[in-house]
Amino acid sequence: MSAPRILHVTEAMGGGTAAAIAEFARSTPQYEHHLLGRLCPGSETATAADFAASHPAGRGLVGFALAVRRAVARARPAVVHLHSSWAGLVGRLLLAPGGPAVAYTPHCFAFERDPATTPPGLVRAARRAERALAGRTRLAICVSPREADLAAALGLAAVHVPNTTRVRAPRELPAEPAPEVVTVGRIGAQKDPHFLLRVKALVTAEADWTWIGGGDPALEAQLRAAGVEVTGWLPPRRVGVRLAAAGAYLHTAAWESCPLALLEAGAAGLPLVARSIPALDSLGLDPALRTPEHVAAELELVLRTGQPSRPRLQEAFAARHTPQAQASALTAAYEWLLDAAVRAGLPVPVG
């Protein structure tokens, strides 16, 4: 029997967003998943094998908009699933009511950016744009309870679908006497490497420090100057192996949704030391780790004992983000979209 077709659209297909989209496709094989996304050389975390078909994304914003039109015409999807801010903006402006159902996953709203490092006008503009486009969104599929609450406050119908990961690697004991503190992600303002460097300056325990990923050259240079190894982007399996050999995972982002790196580190058996921000608090991680001093003290404990101060929080976090939990929630979301289209008398194309 033919399957309803889902077209995933993202402006940049790299890093955590790409990995999250690939997991959405893997979790719901009962649908035919297509992809439109511009590859980010060096930070690929998904492959063409994860999708039934891939569509070119064009060059520049205008080229991307034209590519979205072409892909929708060719693929005839039942659902267009927009991922992240630019795709959410372009896709919702282009797709007229009466066409395929529009789902939107922000992967962290743009207005969540740290006001200390972002022009206030940009934050206000992002919030106004999201509110204006709410009426052109059938459903917001959000990867954290915090993101779902923000979407609902904007006037969107919203559901929480947990992120997950299938990256697995055998756990190895960290080398003595210097275990490794590992961070994963794009090096930029969102991941806040300056916060990490403040934590590092406070930690007295001997440890090697590694940032898996790449990004802003100036920030990369600051990390290296402070004794942090910057690996550049690695294939997912190599990331899993590096995590499995580490002693602790440190996450210092200033704003987030539900980062795949935390799930991958947890799957590798690492104790998680994650800076407290609203999104991670909503996921049930430790809300006490707000300052560099709090984070450094927790990291010292992990490096000394191999355990976080509140291990049950991490166990519950892992239990809520399984492939089975994602498959159940995402299937319910897609079926709701398809049923709503049928009730509205709209066509539901199948592959």
Side-chain angles (χ1 to χ4, degrees):
M1 183 176 179
S2 297
R5 192 170 291 155
I6 314 292
L7 174 63
H8 297 271
V9 178
T10 183
E11 193 274 334
M13 188 64 180
T17 297
I21 296 171
E23 290 294 350
F24 277 13
R26 294 167 191 153
S27 289
T28 52
Q30 66 270 40
Y31 308 108
E32 183 181 305
H33 293 274
H34 287 224
L35 172 69
L36 185 153
R38 185 178 295 115
L39 294 177
C40 299
S43 63
E44 297 94 338
T45 49
T47 69
D50 295 313
F51 304 93
S54 297
H55 302 265
R59 293 180 177 274
L61 197 56
V62 173
F64 178 65
L66 293 173
V68 172
R69 283 192 182 278
R70 287 193 295 268
V72 170
R74 291 174 183 169
R76 297 181 63 249
V79 175
V80 176
H81 193 159
L82 307 170
H83 296 268
S84 295
S85 298
W86 279 116
L89 173 67
V90 172
R92 288 182 290 175
L93 285 173
L94 286 177
L95 298 172
V102 174
Y104 171 46
T105 299
H107 298 285
C108 194
F109 283 106
F111 59 75
E112 282 273 90
R113 294 176 65 93
D114 185 356
T117 60
T118 307
L122 181 61
V123 173
R124 289 193 297 269
R127 190 182 295 274
R128 285 196 297 267
E130 292 288 357
R131 196 178 297 279
L133 292 168
R136 303 178 72 90
T137 313
R138 190 73 58 84
L139 183 65
I141 296 176
C142 302
V143 297
S144 73
R146 160 76 172 180
E147 191 166 88
D149 289 345
L150 290 171
L154 293 167
L156 287 84
V159 294
H160 171 217
V161 172
N163 270 339
T164 191
T165 181
R166 287 166 174 77
V167 173
R168 294 290 186 272
R171 184 78 173 107
E172 301 175 13
L173 292 176
E176 295 293 347
E180 187 178 17
V181 177
V182 175
T183 296
V184 179
R186 188 176 302 280
I187 298 174
Q190 180 180 2
K191 300 301 183 185
D192 204 350
H194 292 126
F195 190 101
L196 180 142
L197 291 178
R198 290 196 293 273
V199 171
K200 185 176 186 298
L202 293 167
V203 171
T204 58
E206 186 179 356
D208 297 324
W209 293 66
T210 301
W211 191 306
I212 299 174
D216 184 292
L219 292 175
E220 285 189 16
Q222 290 179 40
L223 289 166
R224 291 190 178 100
V228 179
E229 177 193 359
V230 178
T231 67
W233 293 103
L234 301 177
R237 290 193 179 278
R238 284 189 61 196
V239 173
V241 171
R242 290 293 298 263
L243 289 172
Y249 181 79
L250 175 62
H251 197 82
T252 60
W255 66 93
E256 275 290 9
S257 51
C258 178
L260 267 293
L262 276 172
L263 298 174
E264 292 168 1
L270 265 75
L272 308 178
V273 180
R275 174 187 182 180
S276 171
I277 55 175
L280 300 192
D281 291 353
S282 80
L283 293 169
L285 292 174
D286 195 337
L289 307 182
R290 296 196 176 278
T291 68
E293 290 76 14
H294 292 142
V295 173
E298 178 75 0
L299 187 56
E300 291 265 15
L301 174 68
V302 167
L303 292 173
R304 187 174 69 250
T305 68
Q307 290 290 328
S309 58
R310 304 175 70 181
R312 289 185 180 179
L313 293 182
Q314 296 188 18
E315 293 167 4
F317 172 69
R320 287 191 293 268
H321 291 84
T322 63
Q324 295 79 12
Q326 182 181 81
S328 176
L330 187 57
T331 296
Y334 283 153
E335 289 301 309
W336 184 89
L337 286 165
L338 296 171
D339 290 346
V342 171
R343 289 194 302 271
L346 300 175
V348 179
V350 294

